[in-house]
Structure formats: structure tokens, C-alpha cells
Amino acid sequence: MRRNDRDFEIQNGVLKKYTGNAARVTVPDGIAEIGTNAFEDCATLESITIPESVTKIGISAFECCAALKSIVIPDSVTEISVFAFRDCAALESIAIPSSVTLIGYAAFEGCAALESIVIPEGVTEIGNATFADCTALISIVIPDSVKKIGSYAFQRCSSLGSIVIPDSVTWIGASAFEGCDALESIVIPKNVTEIYEETFRDCTALKSIMIPESVTEIDDFAFEFCDALESIVIPESVTKIGRAAFRKCTSLKNVTMPTGMSIGASAFAGTPYGVVNGDFSDKIDL
């Protein structure tokens, strides 16, 4: 292991702390893990070279590195831990290798300059808040290996115009796409059974959405404030629409849905459909 200066605090193969102030940093060979908070708040760090010996990027390892613009993660890395790159506001691009199988909670939250990212095959879950507040994110590729998209995963990704969710996904968490106000269309995978609270709330550009026959419940506020949504077909499989699920969808005129389902208070309030048909506030069974 090369310990070239006192800027690196290393213990048992873990880089515990970088104490320097260089703009460009090369991590010493032989390091197995970039440890918790190792580079946190390194205001001068612009780029970093990580050796092939590293297998894990630890909790908050690069959190709040405000000047960090680019990073190449080597093929040896299998885990990107929680908060690893959170609030790296200048980070424009990052290549995640196919060796990575775990991306932790809020790993890239607040990376406001990040425009695109490819999730590698092998990742089975996009965790809670992983890309929340990535306001420049235009596109993302989700592989067929992903089975779960966590709550708040893409919350307030305000530049995300389209996303393809593979049929391998069986669970999309609450508020997963809340505030994605550039998102125009989305197809919910055929194995998803429930649309959770606020999943698409404030998706103001959303014009169309396909709900599969697998869905049985549309929860509270799921599509609230989707101003551009003009029509929706709710399949026969749905037995419950939660309160305010489509409230203030100000363009919603046409709704096709089965009879006999439970409809929550104000489910269609503030919509043209609700004005004509009532807001269903008398049908509360939640």
C-alpha cells in the first residue's frame, strides 16, 4: 500500500479521512474501502481517481463535495452506500460500473447538475430518495434487474421528461415521482399492484399514464395536481381510489372506471370530471 503523504488517514485498508485540500486527488493503491465521511465537505475537490482495489464507497464518503464535477468508479466497486454523493451540486456525470449491486439511500440526492445516469444490470433496487432533487436529470436507464423503486426515488427531478420502467419492477414507493413537473408520460409495469401515496403528485406536465390490470389500489393524493392529465382509464382490477387521488387535476374530463369501488373524499374535486359528477365526498371508505 502506498502511503504517499499525511493527507490520507488509513486504517486496516479503509481510507478513514482525507485531510488535504487538493483539487485533484488520487487515492492510494491497496485501499479496499473509502470510509464513512472520508471526503465529506472537501470544498476544493474537483476530481478523484479511485484505484481498482476499492470495493465499497462508504456512508457520506463524498457528501457535500460542492466542487466535485466528475468521478470514475472502478469495476471493483460493488456497493455505493447511503448519502455517498449527496449534495455534490456540481457533479455532472458519473459512470456506475456493472459490478455495483447496491446503491444506498439518498446516494445521489441533491446532485443538481447531474443530467443523465445509467443504472447497471445487477442492481435490484433503486433505494429511497436515491436521486431526489437531481433537478437537471433528463434521462435515466433502468435495467431489467431492478425490482423495486423506493419512496422519493426521483422526487423533484424537475427536468425528467421521460422514463421507461421495466416490467421487472413490482413495487414503486410513495412520492417516487412527486414533483417531476416535466414528466409527460409513463407506463406503470404490469406487475405493480398498488400506486402509493403521492407517487405522481405535482407531475404538472403528465398527459398520459397507463395503469395495468395488476393494480388494485390507487392511494391518497396519488395524482393530485397533475394539471395536464385529460383522461384516464382505471382498470377493473382497482377496488379503491384514495382521498384526493386526482384532486386539482384541472384538465381531467374523461374517466373510465369500474363501478362498486371504494372512492375516497374529494377524489376528483377541482377537476372538470368532478364538477360534473361530484367530488365523491359522500363515498368514504378508507
Side-chain angles (χ1 to χ4, degrees):
M1 179 184 295
R2 180 168 60 87
R3 302 170 190 247
N4 57 346
D5 56 49
R6 290 176 294 178
D7 290 342
F8 298 99
E9 296 179 6
I10 300 168
Q11 182 179 351
N12 297 324
V14 177
L15 174 55
K16 293 289 188 179
K17 192 67 178 176
Y18 173 72
T19 58
N21 58 6
R24 294 172 177 82
V25 173
T26 298
V27 175
D29 292 332
I31 296 294
E33 178 181 339
I34 297 177
T36 298
N37 309 117
F39 289 88
E40 185 180 16
D41 292 319
C42 286
T44 59
L45 183 66
E46 294 182 4
S47 66
I48 188 164
T49 301
I50 300 174
E52 291 286 344
S53 56
V54 172
T55 60
K56 179 180 178 180
I57 297 175
I59 297 170
S60 300
F62 296 94
E63 185 174 7
C64 296
C65 290
L68 184 64
K69 293 181 179 179
S70 65
I71 187 169
V72 176
I73 299 175
D75 291 337
S76 54
V77 172
T78 60
E79 179 179 344
I80 299 174
S81 298
V82 300
F83 309 139
F85 296 94
R86 185 167 69 165
D87 289 331
C88 290
L91 188 65
E92 296 175 352
S93 64
I94 188 165
I96 301 176
S98 57
S99 55
V100 171
T101 58
L102 176 63
I103 301 175
Y105 173 82
F108 296 95
E109 182 182 15
C111 292
L114 189 65
E115 292 187 357
S116 65
I117 196 162
V118 176
I119 305 292
E121 287 284 351
V123 172
T124 59
E125 179 179 339
I126 298 174
N128 293 348
T130 297
F131 298 101
D133 292 308
C134 290
T135 53
L137 189 66
I138 297 172
S139 64
I140 187 164
V141 176
I142 299 176
D144 290 336
S145 57
V146 172
K147 293 178 170 55
K148 180 179 179 180
I149 296 175
S151 298
Y152 317 104
F154 297 96
Q155 187 182 46
R156 293 185 296 273
C157 289
S158 55
S159 299
L160 189 64
S162 64
I163 188 168
V164 177
I165 303 175
D167 282 337
S168 58
V169 172
T170 61
W171 195 89
I172 300 174
S175 299
F177 296 94
E178 182 183 6
C180 292
D181 50 21
L183 190 65
E184 294 187 357
S185 65
I186 196 164
V187 177
I188 297 174
K190 62 184 180 181
N191 294 311
V192 169
T193 60
E194 187 169 350
I195 300 174
Y196 288 98
E197 293 91 342
E198 302 179 344
T199 300
F200 299 99
R201 188 175 187 266
D202 277 324
C203 290
T204 55
L206 189 65
K207 295 179 180 178
S208 65
I209 188 161
M210 295 291 293
I211 300 176
E213 291 284 349
S214 56
V215 171
T216 60
E217 294 187 18
I218 299 173
D219 288 347
D220 301 349
F221 314 109
F223 295 94
E224 188 181 30
F225 302 120
C226 290
D227 295 340
L229 191 64
E230 295 182 356
S231 64
I232 191 163
V233 177
I234 299 172
E236 293 287 337
S237 56
V238 174
T239 60
K240 172 187 170 183
I241 296 177
R243 58 193 174 94
F246 295 92
R247 191 172 76 92
K248 295 291 185 178
C249 293
T250 55
S251 299
L252 186 62
K253 299 175 182 178
N254 301 307
V255 178
T256 302
M257 62 180 176
T259 59
M261 69 170 63
S262 169
I263 301 176
S266 302
F268 295 93
T271 71
Y273 179 81
V275 169
V276 173
N277 296 279
D279 67 4
F280 302 96
S281 60
D282 60 330
K283 298 182 179 180
I284 304 174
D285 184 15
L286 300 178

